[in-house]
Amino acid sequence: MFRNNYDNDSVTFSPQGRIFQVEYAAEAVKQGSVVVGIASKTHAVLVAIKRNAEELSSYQKKLFPIDEHVGIAIAGLTSDARVLSNFMKQQCLGHRLTFGRNMPVRSLVDMIGSKAQINTQHYGKRPYGVGLLVAGVDESGPHLFEFQPSGMTEEMVAFAIGARSQMARTYLEKNLAAFAACGREELVRHGLKALKESLVQDKELTVENTSVAIVGLGKDKDGNPKPEPFKVFDGQDVNAWIESVADDKEAAAAEGAEEGMDVDG
Amino acid sequence: MDHRPQAWGRPRDDVYGAYDASYLHSNTPKTATQSPVVTGTSVVGLKFADGVVIAADNLASYGSLARFTDVKRLRVFLDSSVVGFGGDVSDMQYLDRHLNELAIDEAYDHLTPDSSASKTASLNAANLYKYLQKLMYARRNDFDPLWNQILVAGLDGAQKPFLGSVDLRGTSFTSPSLATGYGAMLAQPIMRRVAATEEDAARLTREQAVDVVKECMKVLFYRDARSLDRYSIAVVTKDGIELKEDEQLEKQSWAFAERIRGYGTQTV
Amino acid sequence: MAAMFSQNPLMNGPNYSFSDAPRAQAPDGAREHRFDPYTDNGGSTLAIAGADFTIMAGDTRLTSGYSINSRFHPKVFKIGGTTADQSDATIALSVVGFTADGEALKERLDAICKMYHYRHGKPMSVKACAQRLSTILYQKRFFPYYAYAILGGLDEEGKGAVYSYDPVGSYEREQCRAGGAAASLIMPFLDNQVNFKNQFIPGSGEGHALQERERRPLTRNEVETLVKDAFDGAVERHIEVGDGLQMMIITREGIQEVILPLKKD
């Protein structure tokens, strides 16, 4: 019987040059329900499918605020995500305390990247079993970053991670060109449409299982740049968005467009 | 033969003598600056409509001795802010090196994919002021202060003129005009005459502000014994920094001295 | 010699701590050797609790010795909001004494309140915040924050709450409190005007049999006027007080901030 001898720890390469523990951690990300993130020139949004373990239980939170200007979407082990979330929160508070500004999103993501990498190179440590999408705004505009258990981080225009996320990514790739110019609402709708692509047969977006989070550039009352704070929407607050991407609505809109909005009852 | 693993590879005491670990703990007490040694005198700064003027003379004194006469006490940070140092010169040089490191880190953090540093996303004067306040306050908490009073001039997050002061105890404040040391007594009244409030300062033109600051440098040279007639002056605006490091005080008049006993040749 | 100038016989010392002023007693050629980590930056604060509001106030002058360092340096801060502009804060803190310590104290309490909000999903109560502030101060019992703090907010019943502190953390809840340079000038005024001390109904009796004037809670307008009068009085008699008056009015609707002019001489 074949047994893999190179997956007992994360410090040993296989002869093919792979580190199996890190790859297994990446598999844990795929066990988590799907999350989608998109960034435009003015906003970054995260949308997620929440899962309940059984009919009687509540739904697991997927979107977490970190600071005024950043938040994360998680796929994988929620408890590992909380460790990273707390760490990011502390870093943002510390940065604000010493410099009096929002922490640049890239610096923040780089820090969790280095933190996660350490776990892949020390004996007895375990890589984080969670992937993140980090959405935020800073002086250089809105950003979306992907984070993987390997410590890999990368800036994205739009991305999806978690179970069946390939379908969502395909949708995002198809509509890539449109995102940059999208406004707040339009961006959320694109996110939800991508999310729907990844749904299992005869499952639908409901107010119970859908989460939306938005962060964007804004202005204060004096017209100075000030971020529209990262805010998570759940329950009835997401109803209007879900309805706006419902299949029949879409079909009607598509038909309407073809027939010059001239639909008879 | 000692076969215990902890003895492997170690020099034997009976051959080489016991290891002398004394150098590991120093016998001298921890040292800290107890008072400044080589010092710079006042720094003055004044806001105007779309920027800030800041100036300091080029002298470093050793007590009452005019020791170094070509010391630059204004320092540019990230091509967007100017920091002016009063007080101990060695602590100033330490801070200068420290700020250099900070600037390099910040520049690396903001390298964009096309490998050009984006100018919008980096530490502005208000951020730098906050940082220096934290640094100075942390050092005073360790009873190891950096013996300086610092002015930070530049623009804040909203691209408005910014001028702030931090001292060796971490006390920090902002104002339309600021001056350290003797400048607080001699230059502040002159600057407050033209810029009592933020609104007044916002009406000043660049030329007016530069003239007032130069006037202050002249008064300071007349009355502050630890000052020099060669000075540095910088103007910070949105468009960048104009720093001149070897200016000469112009249009001095010592006529007033004629009437003061003790100046010049005594006739009575 | 210094005692000669004392305006406060109880303290039996100078009323102003002018560390920069020449000391008459210093022997010839004496040089300051040890680093003194403290300065007194002057200024005064005041807080009054009403039936359903609290008003916190402070002047905006910052001094050291005889110099006015800044004419606008606020002493009253909103605490525990979730954003940088503290727009959703419910508690205010005033600090007076050594500003660097005061502001460090403010930032620590603010960070703690923010973490509390992040962990518990609700803002800290004033009562809890007050207890925590006392602990923070006492932790530095042997290198104290040289700051007189006053904390204000609304209690669980919605009534105005003012907590006052000494630099090492002793605290109590009060109806009103003045702190800082002009505390000794303002406090007797408050005793009389807020707590109706020494107010009697004329002709209601002889000597000690005089009937006390009935106590009643003050209205918001009355308190605002009291605060302005208290500071106008303090400015007149104390050189470290002046330039601007900052008031924070804490009500169920949030915190409203008002800046008014004071004499600049």
Side-chain angles (χ1 to χ4, degrees):
Chain A
M1 185 71 187
F2 169 75
R3 190 175 171 285
N4 192 344
N5 285 315
Y6 297 97
D7 67 352
N8 290 315
D9 55 62
S10 62
V11 301
T12 313
F13 279 107
S14 82
Q16 289 78 37
R18 301 163 62 177
I19 297 170
F20 283 103
Q21 280 299 325
V22 175
E23 292 184 18
Y24 298 162
E27 287 302 313
V29 178
K30 293 179 192 160
Q31 306 278 331
S33 64
V34 62
V35 293
V36 175
I38 314 177
S40 75
K41 281 201 177 106
T42 55
H43 290 84
V45 302
L46 297 171
V47 293
I49 289 290
K50 293 180 285 186
R51 271 205 295 236
N52 52 347
E54 49 190 299
E55 204 65 11
L56 295 170
S57 75
S58 62
Y59 288 81
Q60 181 63 54
K61 273 182 76 179
K62 298 284 284 178
L63 306 179
F64 296 88
I66 298 296
D67 199 3
E68 186 182 336
H69 68 300
V70 217
I72 55 170
I74 65 163
L77 300 180
T78 312
S79 39
D80 280 18
R82 194 155 60 233
V83 174
L84 288 171
S85 162
N86 286 343
F87 174 79
M88 291 166 87
K89 173 91 185 166
Q90 292 290 353
Q91 293 304 319
C92 285
L93 269 178
H95 193 92
R96 189 184 298 285
L97 231 50
T98 36
F99 294 107
R101 66 167 179 183
N102 291 332
M103 190 170 188
V105 187
R106 181 183 290 275
S107 312
L108 180 65
V109 172
D110 283 351
M111 292 192 84
I112 52 167
S114 323
K115 194 174 155 70
Q117 194 278 338
I118 290 170
N119 290 345
T120 69
Q121 218 180 11
H122 284 265
Y123 190 84
K125 287 193 186 287
R126 166 174 78 73
Y128 290 105
V130 69
L132 308 180
L133 290 181
V134 183
V137 293
D138 57 25
E139 289 124 306
S140 55
H143 298 282
L144 176 72
F145 285 90
E146 180 209 359
F147 161 85
Q148 284 290 333
S150 60
M152 187 226 60
T153 59
E154 196 164 15
E155 175 144 28
M156 296 293 186
V157 175
F159 206 58
I161 55 172
R164 301 161 56 85
S165 57
Q166 182 53 54
M167 269 88 93
R169 282 200 296 275
T170 309
Y171 172 88
L172 295 172
E173 281 163 17
K174 264 192 232 154
N175 295 279
L176 184 64
F179 298 148
C182 277
R184 194 175 182 270
E185 305 297 312
E186 224 177 322
L187 215 53
V188 174
R189 277 200 292 277
H190 273 301
L192 291 176
K193 283 187 215 164
L195 209 56
K196 278 168 74 159
E197 298 285 323
S198 287
L199 285 177
V200 202
Q201 278 268 293
D202 37 83
K203 245 205 150 172
E204 279 188 28
L205 295 182
T206 66
V207 290
E208 281 82 32
N209 72 6
T210 311
S211 269
V212 174
I214 305 175
V215 62
L217 298 174
K219 284 205 175 355
D220 66 8
K221 57 183 189 303
D222 303 323
N224 296 321
K226 180 183 156 292
E228 170 193 342
F230 184 90
K231 189 160 186 255
V232 181
F233 300 87
D234 283 304
Q236 286 307 319
D237 295 340
V238 299
N239 197 21
W241 283 314
I242 294 177
E243 277 182 8
S244 73
V245 296
D247 289 330
D248 44 342
K249 277 267 174 57
E250 287 292 302
E255 246 171 68
E258 274 162 37
E259 295 173 21
M261 297 304 284
D262 205 10
V263 192
D264 40 339
Chain B
M1 185 73 185
D2 187 351
H3 291 288
R4 290 172 308 155
Q6 51 268 53
W8 294 351
R10 289 188 185 271
R12 282 168 50 178
D13 286 359
D14 58 327
V15 177
Y16 298 100
Y19 185 72
D20 178 11
S22 65
Y23 83 96
L24 288 171
H25 353 246
S26 71
N27 296 313
T28 52
K30 199 185 119 225
T31 51
T33 310
Q34 297 294 313
S35 57
V37 183
V38 178
T39 58
T41 182
S42 328
V43 185
V44 298
L46 175 62
K47 287 203 231 181
F48 61 93
D50 35 32
V52 191
V53 194
I54 183 170
D57 69 24
N58 292 350
L59 179 69
S61 311
Y62 178 70
S64 60
L65 174 71
R67 182 64 183 82
F68 305 105
T69 55
D70 192 21
V71 174
K72 310 299 192 304
R73 298 195 287 123
L74 298 186
R75 182 204 188 282
V76 174
F77 183 80
L78 279 174
D79 292 328
S80 60
S81 313
V82 176
V83 188
F85 297 90
D88 193 277
V89 169
S90 64
D91 285 348
M92 168 184 92
Q93 288 167 342
Y94 165 80
L95 277 165
D96 182 43
R97 291 192 296 274
H98 184 79
L99 290 180
N100 245 327
E101 267 175 52
L102 183 70
I104 289 169
D105 286 352
E106 182 69 10
Y108 267 117
D109 280 352
H110 289 95
L111 283 180
T112 47
D114 59 22
S115 82
S116 64
S118 72
K119 214 162 168 353
T120 47
S122 61
L123 290 172
N124 59 39
N127 300 143
L128 180 61
Y129 160 75
K130 187 105 180 184
Y131 178 78
L132 285 169
Q133 191 275 331
K134 293 279 135 61
L135 178 67
M136 300 295 268
Y137 184 67
R139 291 292 293 255
R140 90 108 216 190
N141 282 343
D142 297 341
F143 277 89
D144 186 11
L146 293 164
W147 217 287
N148 299 103
Q149 189 172 352
I150 302 168
L151 295 193
V152 184
L155 301 170
D156 64 10
Q159 296 280 319
K160 296 220 172 63
F162 177 91
L163 179 61
S165 161
V166 185
D167 75 4
L168 70 163
R169 296 183 179 87
T171 310
S172 63
F173 45 87
T174 59
S175 178
S177 64
L178 286 172
T180 75
Y182 263 102
M185 280 81 197
L186 298 172
Q188 270 287 40
I190 300 172
M191 292 190 288
R192 282 187 182 157
R193 214 152 55 194
V194 296
T197 62
E198 294 286 349
E199 293 75 38
D200 291 340
R203 277 192 290 271
L204 282 180
T205 65
R206 176 191 171 128
E207 288 68 33
Q208 284 172 317
V210 170
D211 284 348
V212 171
V213 167
K214 284 185 173 172
E215 177 70 13
C216 290
M217 294 310 287
K218 191 151 75 185
V219 169
L220 282 166
F221 180 58
Y222 284 153
R223 290 295 180 181
D224 177 1
R226 294 346 163 210
S227 67
L228 200 66
D229 53 354
R230 302 205 81 87
Y231 64 99
S232 309
I233 185 165
V235 182
V236 198
T237 57
K238 270 200 236 349
D239 309 319
I241 295 166
E242 268 176 55
L243 171 63
K244 287 180 269 187
E245 290 191 309
D246 198 21
E247 292 292 282
Q248 170 75 42
L249 277 185
E250 287 163 355
K251 288 180 263 169
Q252 290 179 48
S253 162
W254 290 86
F256 73 95
E258 308 275 309
R259 289 171 280 113
I260 299 175
R261 264 181 85 87
Y263 271 113
T265 321
Q266 219 55 57
T267 49
V268 193
Chain C
M1 180 64 180
M4 235 177 78
F5 299 109
S6 173
Q7 301 179 352
N8 182 349
L10 282 179
M11 308 253 300
N12 196 28
N15 241 25
Y16 315 121
S17 47
F18 296 139
S19 57
D20 293 351
R23 280 188 306 178
Q25 270 119 334
D28 263 7
R31 208 156 54 93
E32 179 78 49
H33 251 299
R34 243 201 59 219
F35 170 61
D36 176 4
Y38 295 115
T39 27
D40 186 343
N41 297 113
S44 225
T45 56
L46 168 57
I48 300 174
D52 57 354
F53 65 92
T54 296
I55 296 192
M56 308 274 295
D59 69 320
T60 66
R61 179 176 288 183
L62 186 139
T63 67
S64 77
Y66 291 120
S67 294
I68 295 171
N69 282 333
S70 178
R71 296 195 189 275
F72 188 71
H73 192 87
K75 292 176 180 60
V76 193
F77 306 99
K78 295 176 189 173
I79 292 289
T82 53
T83 55
D85 62 6
Q86 304 274 21
S87 54
D88 55 348
T90 55
I91 298 174
L93 172 76
S94 72
V95 284
V96 65
F98 175 39
T99 47
D101 273 351
E103 278 154 36
L105 178 66
K106 171 217 57 175
E107 283 177 358
R108 273 191 63 186
L109 188 67
D110 188 42
I112 285 166
C113 288
K114 281 190 162 63
M115 280 317 284
Y116 182 99
H117 197 123
Y118 173 69
R119 293 210 177 104
H120 298 82
K122 62 174 187 188
M124 215 168 181
S125 68
V126 232
K127 196 180 174 186
C129 194
Q131 172 64 57
R132 190 68 183 84
L133 178 55
S134 166
T135 322
I136 296 169
L137 286 163
Y138 193 77
Q139 274 171 353
K140 271 174 70 73
R141 173 64 181 80
F142 298 108
F143 183 24
Y145 284 120
Y146 177 34
Y148 294 88
I150 305 175
L151 194 73
L154 301 178
D155 66 11
E156 279 98 337
E157 296 167 26
K159 290 189 184 126
V162 164
Y163 291 86
S164 69
Y165 297 78
D166 79 350
V168 289
S170 316
Y171 80 113
E172 64 175 328
R173 184 173 170 179
E174 291 181 292
Q175 206 55 43
C176 64
R177 171 58 66 183
S184 54
L185 278 68
I186 297 175
M187 206 57 216
F189 173 70
L190 296 183
D191 287 337
N192 181 250
Q193 292 295 309
V194 178
N195 295 324
F196 297 116
K197 293 281 164 63
N198 299 308
Q199 289 204 45
F200 301 97
I201 296 165
S204 58
E206 288 290 312
H208 291 293
L210 265 170
Q211 218 181 323
E212 277 189 26
R213 185 180 156 194
E214 198 193 341
R215 290 177 193 179
R216 62 175 177 83
L218 297 173
T219 66
R220 180 174 155 178
N221 279 334
E222 282 174 320
V223 173
E224 277 185 43
T225 316
L226 270 183
V227 170
K228 285 177 216 163
D229 287 350
F231 272 92
D232 281 334
V235 169
E236 210 56 53
R237 288 290 181 172
H238 202 118
I239 59 166
E240 292 175 356
V241 183
D243 292 328
L245 172 61
Q246 179 201 19
M247 268 203 275
M248 290 224 191
I249 300 126
I250 308 156
T251 60
R252 209 190 301 266
E253 279 74 50
I255 305 182
Q256 187 197 342
E257 189 175 355
V258 185
I259 308 275
L260 297 165
L262 286 177
K263 282 173 76 173
K264 293 183 195 299
D265 57 4

